[in-house]
Amino acid sequence: MFDIHTEEIEWGGRPLKLETGRIARQADGAVMVTYGETTVLATAVAERTPKTGIDFFPLTVNYQEKTYAAGKIPGGFFKREGRPTEKETLVSRLIDRPIRPLFAKGFKCETQVIATVLSHDMENDPDIVAMVAASAALTLSGIPFLGPIGAARVGFADGEYVLNPTLDEMDDTKLDLVVAGTGDAVLMVESEAHELSEDDMLGAVMFGHKNFQPVLEAIIRLAEKAAREPRDIEIPDNSELVAKVKEIAADDLSAAYKIVDKMERRDAVDAAKEKVLAALCPEGAEDAPDPVAVGGAFKTLEKEIVRGGILDTGNRIDGRTLTDVRPIVAEVGVVPRAHGTALFTRGETQALVFTTLGTGEDEQFVDALEGTYKERFLLHYNFPPFSVGETGRVGFTGRREVGHGKLAWRAIRPVLPGGDQFPYTIRVVSEITESNGSSSMATVCGTSLALMDAGVPLTRPVAGIAMGLIKEDDRFAVLSDILGDEDHLGDMDFKVAGTGDGVTSLQMDIKIAGITEEIMRQALHQARDGRLHILGEMSKALEEARPGLGEYAPRIEVMNIPVDKIRDVIGTGGKVIREIVEKTGAKIDIADDGTIKIASSSGDAIEAAMKWIKSITSEPEVGEIYEGTVVKVVDFGAFVNFFGPKDGLVHISELNDGRPKTVSEVVKEGDKVKVKLLGFDPRGKVRLSMKAVDQETGEDLSAKEKEAG
C-alpha cells in the first residue's frame, strides 16, 4: 500500500531523517522530516494550468504550528488554533525567501507549500526542520524548482561557531543566524547578533553554508529514489517583443531614470509605458500582444537601462556614487506628550517613531509551543499606502509589516538594558510616512533615537543601512543605501544594522545564484562605512539617552522583600495589596522571587507605597525616627501606630521635656506625631519617645544633645 523511502544522516550531533511515501500521497510532493524528536510535514502542490493575467509567480507558503506537537491544548474559548502567530508568519517568510528565486522563469502555475509542525521536542526549533522539509517536498514534486536548498542555524559561543544550537544553548550564544542556499550559493540570511564584527558575521554565513551540504546530498539521494517526473513547461521567447518595446521607449526610459525625484520619475516611467501600450496594444486590435507580456518586456528594458547605467558609469538613478548615502535629517521630541519620539528622514524615506513606557502589567504574554513567556520589548511597524503615494487597504497587518518590524526588533534588542536595570515594558511603533528604499532600516534608526529620547539607556545607538547588488557575468557593483527602484531591479537586498562596535542584525535576500564570498565581504564592509556615517548624522539630534524620563512617563521603583513575606503584602484574597493600590494610587507588580515593581507618575505615590510595603515586611529599627498616629490615650501615656500594624507606647515622661499632668494636654487620638524607637522592654513591648524628636522638622534632638555634650 505504501511505497516508503527514507534517508537518514547525523547532523550537528543529532539524527536527521527524511521520509516520503507514507503521508499526504496526493500532494505533488510530501516529505516528513524529523530532527531529534521535532517533526515537520511539508507538502508542495502546483496547479496544472498557468494563471493568466499576472506578471508574477503566484507562490504561497504557510508554516503552521499545532499545539498537539507539544502536548498542549490551545487556550481561548474555541480551543482551536486560530490566526497565524507572529512566529508562524515569520517562518513562512523564512521559507518563502530562499525558494522563490529558484522556480523556473515563466512558471505561472499557482503553487502552495504547507509546512506543519507535528512534534516538538523542546530542543530543536522547528523552523530549520520546516525549511529542509519544504525544500525536499519541492524537489520531489516534479514542479520546476531549481533546488534543493539547505538551511542551518548558527550560534557563536566562546569564540566558536555552533551548528544548530538547541533552545537551551541559545541562551548562551551571541548570535542567532539562519542561513539558506543551494550547493554553491547563499540565498538568504536572517540574524540577530550581540555587536559581532563583519568578519565574524561572514564567517557564520560560510560556516552554515558549509555545514548544510550533507542535507542537500540527502535530499538529492531521496529524490533519486522517489521524485516525480519533471513537468514540461513552455517559456515563451519574448526577445522580439523586447526589441519592439526598446525601439519605442528606450530614449524615454533613459531620460526618466535620470530624474532624481521619485514621484516625477514614476510619472515619466508611467508615461513611457502608456506610450508602449498605445503603440503595441491599440484598442480593438485583434492580433495585439498580451498587455501582461508587454509589461514584462517593458520591465526587462527597465532592468537593462538601470543596471547597464550603473555598471557602465558607476552613477545611479539619483546621481549618487556607489557608496553615497542620501541626505539625512534626524529629529527627536517631535510630538508632545509621547514618552519619546523621533523623525528619521533619509532621502525620500521617512519613519515617525514613538516610544511608550509601561509597567509589568503591559508585558505581552506569548503562548508558544515551547511554553508561555512574557515579552517586555515590543516593536510594531506600520506601512500605510500614502507612504508611497497610493491608495490601499488600512488596518490589516500584513506579512511584510510583521517581518520588517521583527528585523528592527532584532537589531535593537541586543543594546537594550536588562529588566533589573530598567524595569519598564517598552513599546515602539514605527509609522512609515514616506518610502523609497529600506523603511525597515529607517525604523531601526528612528527606534534608536526615540528610545534615547524617552530616557531608555541603550548600550549604544544603532543604525541600519540597506545594500544592493547589480551583477552581470563577472562585472558587479555593490550599492549603499539603495532606492526602491534599485531594490526592485537589482540582484540583492542586504540589510545590515549595528552600533559603532559591531553588527546587531543582518538580513540578506539574493535573487540570483552565484554570489561569492568576496561580494558578501565587500557588501559588509561597505555597509559598515555607511552605518558609521548614519550614526554620525543621528548624533546631531541625540548622542545618548536623556538622563531622565519624560514628564508623562511612569516612574518605576524596584524593591525586594523576603519570599515568605509575599503573602503578607498580598493579604487574604488580595485585600492588603488592593488597599495599598487604592490609597496610594500606585501600580504594584509582585514577582515570585520577591521583586516588587511600584509604578506611578507621582513620586509621592511611589514613596507612600514603598513605605507601606516596608512596614509590612520589615522590623522597626532602634534609634530610627518614624511618623505615626496616636490610636489610644491612657493615663500613663499614648499608644502610637508607627510601623504598619505595629503600635508602641510613648510614656507620659517621653511626651515632652516637662512632664505634663495629663497625657491629653499634649496629644489626643488621631494626632500625627513623630517618634523615636527607644527599644523594647523585658516583655518585648515597644518604647517610643516624642520628646527626642523635633515635632516640626523631625530632627533627632537626643542625638543633637549628645553631639553638643
Side-chain angles (χ1 to χ4, degrees):
M1 183 174 182
F2 299 118
D3 183 18
I4 301 173
H5 298 278
T6 63
E7 283 292 329
E8 189 166 353
I9 62 173
E10 192 75 12
W11 189 40
R14 280 145 282 170
L16 177 74
K17 181 181 178 182
L18 291 77
E19 177 189 300
T20 188
R22 183 156 61 106
I23 296 177
R25 292 171 294 160
Q26 295 184 48
D28 290 331
V31 178
M32 189 164 67
V33 176
T34 301
Y35 190 43
E37 292 185 346
T38 293
T39 301
V40 176
L41 171 67
T43 60
V45 176
E47 295 288 352
R48 297 295 163 178
T49 56
K51 197 168 186 178
T52 59
I54 59 171
D55 60 353
F56 61 90
F57 171 44
L59 170 68
T60 304
V61 177
N62 296 100
Y63 166 86
Q64 49 192 21
E65 294 183 336
K66 302 296 186 178
T67 57
Y68 55 68
K72 297 170 60 178
I73 294 175
F77 182 78
F78 294 104
K79 298 299 177 185
R80 181 180 186 132
E81 290 86 358
R83 60 177 295 178
T85 64
E86 181 180 86
K87 181 178 180 181
E88 288 174 316
T89 298
L90 293 169
V91 177
S92 296
R93 284 171 52 88
L94 208 61
I95 298 170
D96 183 301
R97 286 158 49 197
I99 66 174
R100 186 175 288 273
L102 296 181
F103 288 87
K105 302 302 180 186
F107 182 63
K108 294 292 192 297
C109 295
E110 189 165 358
T111 303
Q112 185 175 42
V113 176
I114 299 176
T116 306
V117 181
L118 305 180
S119 174
H120 190 355
D121 61 8
M122 303 300 162
E123 290 186 4
N124 300 289
D125 197 312
D127 56 1
I128 297 297
V129 187
M131 296 178 77
V132 172
S135 169
L138 284 165
T139 304
L140 270 59
S141 68
I143 297 170
F145 173 69
L146 308 179
I149 66 160
R153 171 169 273 106
V154 180
F156 188 73
D158 300 323
E160 300 288 337
Y161 296 118
V162 182
L163 177 64
N164 295 335
T166 65
L167 294 177
D168 288 340
E169 289 172 335
M170 288 303 300
D171 294 335
D172 301 318
T173 181
K174 293 184 177 180
L175 174 68
D176 180 5
L177 181 142
V178 173
V179 57
T182 61
D184 55 6
V186 173
L187 294 174
M188 189 275 299
V189 177
E190 185 79 35
S191 66
E192 177 184 336
H194 288 265
E195 298 182 281
L196 295 183
S197 70
E198 281 73 14
D199 289 338
D200 285 338
M201 296 298 292
L202 180 59
V205 172
M206 303 316 297
F207 175 85
H209 182 260
K210 175 184 176 182
N211 280 280
F212 65 57
Q213 299 303 314
V215 177
L216 292 172
E217 295 166 4
I219 294 174
I220 292 170
R221 289 196 299 271
L222 186 66
E224 289 171 346
K225 295 185 285 186
R228 297 193 177 197
E229 287 298 317
R231 294 190 187 187
D232 293 327
I233 62 167
E234 292 184 9
I235 301 177
D237 179 10
N238 69 341
S239 57
E240 184 178 340
L241 185 58
V242 171
K244 290 181 180 179
V245 171
K246 187 173 184 178
E247 183 180 349
I248 298 169
D251 292 340
D252 292 341
L253 264 183
S254 295
Y257 277 108
K258 290 183 173 64
I259 299 173
V260 174
D261 182 79
K262 173 188 172 182
M263 305 306 288
E264 292 180 14
R265 181 170 64 250
R266 186 181 70 176
D267 290 343
V269 170
D270 289 346
K273 187 173 183 179
E274 288 297 324
K275 180 179 178 181
V276 169
L277 289 171
L280 298 180
C281 306
E283 189 174 346
E286 295 182 359
D287 58 347
D290 181 2
V292 174
V294 173
F298 186 82
K299 184 176 179 180
T300 299
L301 179 60
E302 283 186 275
K303 284 188 174 182
E304 181 181 319
I305 290 172
V306 172
R307 295 163 64 88
I310 291 173
L311 289 173
D312 292 340
T313 68
N315 290 323
R316 297 156 67 179
I317 296 171
D318 56 1
R320 286 182 292 150
T321 67
L322 300 181
T323 59
D324 285 345
V325 176
R326 287 170 289 174
I328 291 171
V329 177
E331 305 168 65
V332 294
V334 294
V335 176
R337 297 198 73 87
H339 299 165
T341 56
L343 181 65
F344 180 84
T345 308
R346 185 191 60 239
E348 295 167 307
T349 297
Q350 185 180 76
L352 178 59
V353 187
F354 297 80
T355 292
T356 306
L357 303 179
T359 66
E361 294 179 357
D362 300 307
E363 291 179 336
Q364 181 180 16
F365 282 84
V366 180
D367 189 14
L369 283 186
E370 299 82 7
T372 302
Y373 65 92
K374 290 181 179 181
E375 180 57 61
R376 58 181 289 267
F377 175 47
L378 315 173
L379 196 155
H380 299 144
Y381 164 101
N382 296 317
F383 192 89
F386 67 75
S387 65
V388 288
E390 298 176 357
T391 60
R393 183 176 179 180
V394 175
F396 175 73
T397 303
R399 286 186 172 188
R400 181 178 181 276
E401 289 178 299
V402 173
H404 279 34
K406 193 66 174 182
L407 172 59
W409 181 89
R410 289 191 179 104
I412 295 293
R413 191 172 72 141
V415 301
L416 286 175
D420 54 343
Q421 180 187 353
F422 193 75
Y424 290 84
T425 297
I426 304 167
R427 182 187 184 225
V428 173
V429 179
S430 175
E431 304 284 359
I432 302 304
T433 49
E434 296 180 24
S435 182
N436 184 16
S438 195
S439 54
S440 63
M441 294 297 96
T443 294
V444 170
C445 300
T447 296
S448 180
L449 289 168
L451 287 168
M452 293 192 296
D453 185 50
V456 181
L458 301 184
T459 306
R460 275 169 288 277
V462 179
I465 187 170
M467 312 296 292
L469 173 70
I470 304 294
K471 186 177 186 297
E472 297 287 350
D473 300 324
D474 294 331
R475 296 197 302 163
F476 72 89
V478 176
L479 316 179
S480 295
D481 180 26
I482 55 175
L483 298 170
D485 287 333
E486 292 170 336
D487 181 11
H488 182 59
L489 302 174
D491 299 320
M492 176 179 75
D493 184 10
F494 192 98
K495 298 184 175 78
V496 188
T499 68
D501 287 7
V503 176
T504 58
S505 184
L506 168 63
Q507 184 186 84
M508 180 174 72
D509 291 301
I510 304 297
K511 303 173 188 176
I512 58 172
I515 184 173
T516 64
E517 184 177 352
E518 173 197 358
I519 292 175
M520 282 191 284
R521 178 175 286 107
Q522 178 175 330
L524 275 167
H525 286 278
Q526 192 169 315
R528 183 178 187 276
D529 294 338
R531 186 174 79 245
L532 294 178
H533 167 74
I534 295 170
L535 284 168
E537 294 299 303
M538 290 166 56
S539 69
K540 295 176 182 178
L542 200 59
E543 293 186 355
E544 59 185 14
R546 298 194 187 279
L549 302 183
E551 178 183 355
Y552 301 105
R555 267 59 177 172
I556 297 180
E557 293 291 341
V558 179
M559 62 184 295
N560 292 279
I561 63 172
V563 175
D564 59 359
K565 295 287 187 180
I566 294 177
R567 68 177 63 186
D568 297 330
V569 176
I570 296 175
T572 305
K575 177 182 177 181
V576 175
I577 195 168
R578 281 200 304 270
E579 185 181 4
I580 298 174
V581 170
E582 289 171 4
K583 292 192 175 180
T584 65
K587 287 185 178 181
I588 299 174
D589 179 59
I590 305 178
D592 293 339
D593 63 355
T595 300
I596 299 182
K597 296 178 183 177
I598 305 170
S600 174
S601 57
S602 166
D604 291 340
I606 293 176
E607 184 177 356
M610 291 184 72
K611 283 184 176 180
W612 197 324
I613 293 170
K614 285 179 180 178
S615 73
I616 296 171
T617 61
S618 305
E619 295 295 331
E621 297 181 19
V622 175
E624 289 296 311
I625 294 173
Y626 301 94
E627 185 171 339
T629 304
V630 177
V631 294
K632 187 176 182 181
V633 174
V634 292
D635 292 342
F636 52 85
F639 287 96
V640 177
N641 173 239
F642 72 102
F643 196 84
K646 293 186 180 298
D647 295 344
L649 174 66
V650 180
H651 191 266
I652 190 170
S653 62
E654 293 292 337
L655 288 173
N656 55 28
D657 286 334
R659 178 164 179 154
K661 293 181 180 178
T662 62
V663 176
S664 57
E665 292 179 14
V666 182
V667 294
K668 61 180 180 299
E669 289 184 13
D671 283 354
K672 301 291 184 182
V673 298
K674 297 178 178 63
V675 295
K676 181 176 181 178
L677 177 55
L678 300 178
F680 305 89
D681 67 16
R683 294 176 297 172
K685 301 294 184 181
V686 179
R687 296 190 299 112
L688 303 173
S689 173
M690 284 176 54
K691 72 178 184 181
V693 185
D694 187 317
Q695 294 299 309
E696 293 292 331
T697 65
E699 184 181 5
D700 187 345
L701 299 177
S702 58
K704 188 175 181 181
E705 290 175 2
K706 287 182 179 179
E707 290 177 6

